[in-house]
Amino acid sequence: MERNSKIYVAGHNGLVGSAICRRLKSDGYGNLITRAHSQLDLCNEKDVNDFFAETKPEYVFLAAAVVGGIHANDTRPVDFLRDNLLIQTNIIEAAYRNGVKKLAFLGSTCIYPRDCPQPIKEEYLLTGSLEETNQWYAIAKIAGIKLCQAYRKQYGFNAISLMPTNLYGPGDNFDLLSSHVLPALIRKFHEGKINNTKEVVVWGSGKPFREFLYIDDMAEACCFLMQHYNDESIVNIGTGKDVSIRELADLIKEIVGFQGNIVFDSSKPDGTTKKVIDVTKLNSLGWQSKTSLSAGIGTTYDWYLRNQ
Ligand code: GDP
């Protein structure tokens, strides 16, 4: 990518897309193209093709997708399967047809088999059964990866697929029912502090381990791989380090400044006991995450205070 390259970020209002836009702008890329959902329906093949024919982007970050937690996946399977298949198929096809030089497709580490050995290596994709609750999303994303590989094989189209771990940061979803654990705990401890409550309830046993990547690190990795990686095989993006939910809760409690106690609600599910990815490939390509968990939580909490 050159500083004046035309770059289309699909999904620029989402957590990932907005961070990629921030990163590109701060690196001096001034020729960004974005379209809000109300301006362009990515499920509509003709509209997407017309948009590409009109704007002729040179590089594409495909960060647009229907996303959500366990409950959303379970209750809206058609949206997660059909819409994601349409969005990615329309964009990849239009990008290829309209002479895009390179496309980066965003997968997710939650599409690896449910019972993967840990840490999860790239080659474990499609080696076992999926987690049933997010199978709709996973099948669509796996099809997206295969589509990138197919366009490369049949047409020589430079499409790469990236696999981010659990992400967090400014712009996250803080809704207690649909959010992931990190933003949920920031909100719970903050409300506990403000209301001077004696305790904050953390779901499950606190024993499961999870990996968290700060969203601006993720955006930096995406831009790095757009510049330096040109292969069909997928690349994990993460820190390679995990923490227990108990350690995470202690850390967020301290950063937020909540004075009360943490109570674990064992009636709530723990989910997978451990989920951490192998980032050897990413590291050997020359990229490592920089933001410590405590610094990232601090910045995310500041954002929450300004935007709640
Ligand atoms: P997962 O990584 O797909 O399991 O998604 P989550 O981020 O929702 O949950 C991760 C772990 O954090 C699970 O063991 C949850 O039980 C635990 N957890 C503890 N408190 C909360 C909370 O307030 N909200 C959420 N979403 N998870 C919590």
Side-chain angles (χ1 to χ4, degrees):
M1 287 185 301
E2 305 295 328
R3 293 290 185 268
N4 61 352
S5 296
K6 248 188 180 182
I7 305 167
Y8 170 46
V9 181
H12 72 289
N13 281 321
L15 182 65
V16 175
S18 59
I20 291 175
C21 286
R22 273 201 304 279
R23 177 79 212 178
L24 289 169
K25 282 181 196 157
S26 77
D27 281 352
Y29 295 93
N31 203 355
L32 304 191
I33 311 171
T34 56
R35 288 289 184 278
H37 196 176
S38 56
Q39 299 171 290
L40 176 62
D41 177 7
L42 294 172
C43 290
N44 185 309
E45 184 183 358
K46 181 172 182 312
D47 289 357
V48 173
N49 205 49
D50 289 350
F51 161 72
F52 271 82
E54 233 168 72
T55 54
K56 292 282 178 194
E58 298 171 80
Y59 295 88
V60 174
F61 288 91
L62 207 179
V66 178
V67 296
I70 190 168
H71 181 70
N73 245 281
D74 229 19
T75 50
R76 292 168 39 218
V78 177
D79 299 354
F80 280 82
L81 182 54
R82 174 187 175 276
D83 290 6
N84 281 325
L85 284 172
L86 286 174
I87 291 167
Q88 66 204 26
T89 306
N90 290 342
I91 293 180
I92 294 167
E93 165 72 11
Y96 162 65
R97 281 201 179 282
N98 289 282
V100 164
K101 291 179 182 159
K102 187 168 177 183
L103 176 145
F105 173 69
L106 295 185
S108 162
T109 53
C110 73
I111 69 177
Y112 281 112
R114 190 191 48 217
D115 301 317
C116 257
Q118 306 285 325
I120 304 172
K121 293 181 195 289
E122 284 89 352
E123 59 259 37
Y124 298 163
L125 189 70
L126 285 170
T127 56
S129 301
L130 298 170
E131 162 61 39
E132 213 170 292
T133 49
N134 75 349
Q135 57 178 315
W136 322 103
Y137 178 79
I139 290 286
K141 285 288 178 186
I142 291 169
I145 291 166
K146 287 289 160 194
L147 206 55
C148 289
Q149 293 171 347
Y151 274 83
R152 176 182 293 277
K153 188 173 158 101
Q154 191 169 339
Y155 300 124
F157 181 47
N158 194 359
I160 59 171
S161 297
L162 315 177
M163 304 284 275
T165 188
N166 303 326
L167 303 169
Y168 73 98
D172 217 333
N173 169 18
F174 288 84
D175 173 67
L176 289 182
L177 275 183
S178 61
S179 68
H180 285 282
V181 58
L182 196 149
L185 293 187
I186 288 181
R187 177 167 173 178
K188 284 183 180 176
F189 283 117
H190 173 72
E191 289 178 352
K193 179 173 88 169
I194 297 301
N195 301 323
N196 226 350
T197 51
K198 286 211 178 73
E199 50 194 42
V200 156
V201 176
V202 174
W203 295 353
S205 65
K207 290 179 186 151
F209 280 79
R210 294 289 184 275
E211 174 184 3
F212 301 96
L213 178 68
Y214 186 58
I215 191 64
D216 288 351
D217 283 3
M218 160 67 183
E220 188 188 274
C222 289
C223 295
F224 173 84
L225 293 166
M226 186 62 117
Q227 293 287 34
H228 301 292
Y229 185 71
N230 299 292
D231 195 82
E232 63 157 25
S233 56
I234 58 178
V235 187
N236 284 342
I237 304 181
T239 63
K241 292 176 217 132
D242 53 359
V243 288
S244 73
I245 298 300
R246 178 186 292 274
E247 287 165 322
L248 178 75
D250 286 339
L251 184 61
I252 296 178
K253 176 184 158 176
E254 191 192 313
I255 291 169
V256 170
F258 173 68
Q259 302 291 331
N261 299 317
I262 295 173
V263 176
F264 290 96
D265 177 1
S266 56
S267 73
K268 291 282 194 299
D270 266 348
T272 316
T273 42
K274 190 170 168 77
K275 207 188 113 187
V276 63
I277 57 171
D278 187 307
V279 287
T280 310
K281 183 171 175 178
L282 181 63
N283 292 167
S284 65
L285 287 166
W287 189 89
Q288 274 185 330
S289 67
K290 296 175 187 65
T291 311
S292 70
L293 189 55
S294 55
I297 291 169
T299 316
T300 309
Y301 182 43
D302 285 346
W303 185 89
Y304 174 73
L305 290 176
R306 282 181 276 113
N307 295 277
Q308 59 181 300

